[in-house]
Amino acid sequence: MTDFNAITKVVVLGGGYAGSVAANRLRLRPDVEITLVNPRPEFIERMRLHQFVAGTHAAAIGYDTLLGAGVRLVVDRALRIDTATRTVELGSGRELDYDYLVYAVGSTAAMPASIPGAAEYGYPIAEWEHAQRLREAIGKVPADQPIVVVGAGLTGIETAAELVEQGHTVTLVCGGRLAASFSDPARRSVGKWLAGNGVDVLENARVAEVRRDAVVLSDGSTLPSAVTIWAAGFGVPDLASRSGLRTDALGRLLTDETLTSIDDDRIVAAGDAAAPSGRPLRMSCYAAQPLGAQAADNVLARIAGAEPAVLDVAFVASTVGLGSRAGAMQFSRRDDTPVNLHISGRVAGLIKEKVGLAGPVGTIRKEARKPGAIPSFMGLGRRKDIRGTEPEAVSHP
């Protein structure tokens, strides 16, 4: 029989889309003391940072509107996890002890050291502080001055689209194919909107150097650039590796299929910084929130002495916003590979706003009102890779 008189301390590291859901869901048990550690006092809608940069939408929300009663917010930065003593060292010098820990530190920008000037003159857009700095820089630039966006994934596309709709002169340097994760029909739809609205799209063009006022391409040509936005790839915080936990090559925490660290069964991961079986899911809010729910469920299962559930995940679609009135929605197989079916135009734009942007905050609030309200899965059956095989097992020591 479970002893509900004993208090179990759970620390959640990271108050993003995954961590906020996990913290709210842990309230399913009244004997769990929940501490959410986040470096900022407000929740940042990361998927709206391109809108914040363009001045069309806010991106910060008070946690007092998102977290349920009983979740304690600690505004601080985690420096190290000491698994031997089960404590988290914080930037303020404080320490938090835990019985279980949810590792949901998310992702950040990846600025390439191999490209001269990228880190010095490129503006990332992955975090709140990045977006504030970028918004200030764009605010000083006349609309007719060129802005170069590097990276033609969904973040780069949305940023270019938002800025051109606000009257800026924008060039999108793809580095490969435009919207490479989409099918060819969907890619053509996105490209048509961008070109029709004035974005100069350079597919397969690669950056060789970033200067204060220009971008040099690998073919030697130079693009004038008053502001260069770097949206080409993401990395993750190095907290896991600094704490002696095993990670994949990018730094994501290695877990088994229950999202449990392969080094310590008191640590469960969720979101962009998790690598189940060494094969992480696409970095996305779409995956982060159900993983946050499952991470909480699996911590609660361990507290109850039950077996944690195996990851159950399937993708069905991804969306990209094209300014305020349009978008593209790409449908996919369970393994996240695209099919030749998409929706474009105003309908896709409405879906992006209602489901892709407003929906995740609503999900967090739903868990705050009623823990356990959202499903902790995104499909039926075990997750499979693109070859249709079950994921390889990753053993605990």
Side-chain angles (χ1 to χ4, degrees), residues 149-157 160 172-175 177-178 207 229-233:
V149 179
V150 180
L154 304 189
T155 300
I157 291 169
L172 182 62
V173 179
C174 297
R177 296 200 308 166
L178 176 72
V207 175
I229 302 172
W230 198 272

Side-chain angles (χ1 to χ4, degrees), residues 64-88:
D64 58 338
T65 71
L66 296 176
L67 299 179
V71 178
R72 178 172 66 119
L73 175 65
V74 173
V75 180
D76 213 328
R77 189 173 297 276
L79 298 182
R80 183 175 175 271
I81 304 164
D82 189 328
T83 57
T85 62
R86 291 183 194 156
T87 57
V88 179

Side-chain angles (χ1 to χ4, degrees), residues 207-377:
V207 175
E209 180 185 357
V210 179
R211 298 173 181 170
R212 186 186 301 277
D213 57 357
V215 172
V216 181
L217 302 181
S218 57
D219 64 2
S221 60
T222 300
L223 303 174
S225 180
V227 177
T228 300
I229 302 172
W230 198 272
F234 294 92
V236 298
D238 63 352
L239 176 61
S241 59
R242 281 191 282 113
S243 302
L245 298 165
R246 281 181 283 179
T247 68
D248 68 2
L250 192 67
R252 290 170 286 218
L253 182 69
L254 285 174
T255 76
D256 63 14
E257 287 293 299
T258 71
L259 301 175
T260 304
S261 164
I262 64 173
D263 295 310
D264 191 325
D265 63 9
R266 296 290 181 130
I267 299 177
V268 179
D272 291 352
S277 300
R279 297 188 303 104
L281 304 172
R282 168 164 52 92
M283 290 182 174
S284 62
C285 177
Y286 184 102
Q289 291 198 306
L291 292 189
Q294 182 155 353
D297 287 349
N298 286 354
V299 167
L300 295 176
R302 290 187 180 277
I303 294 171
E307 284 296 315
V310 170
L311 183 62
D312 177 15
V313 57
F315 289 88
V316 297
S318 58
T319 57
V320 63
L322 298 172
S324 61
R325 299 181 182 86
M329 183 176 185
Q330 171 67 62
F331 293 94
S332 67
R333 301 180 181 88
R334 282 177 46 88
D335 58 23
D336 204 23
T337 56
V339 298
N340 284 329
L341 176 63
H342 78 282
I343 300 172
S344 60
R346 185 163 181 79
V347 171
L350 289 171
I351 293 172
K352 173 67 178 181
E353 174 58 36
K354 299 297 184 182
V355 179
L357 293 174
V361 170
T363 295
I364 296 170
R365 288 180 170 144
K366 185 181 293 186
E367 280 292 312
R369 290 192 300 269
K370 184 181 179 181
I374 67 168
S376 61
F377 57 87

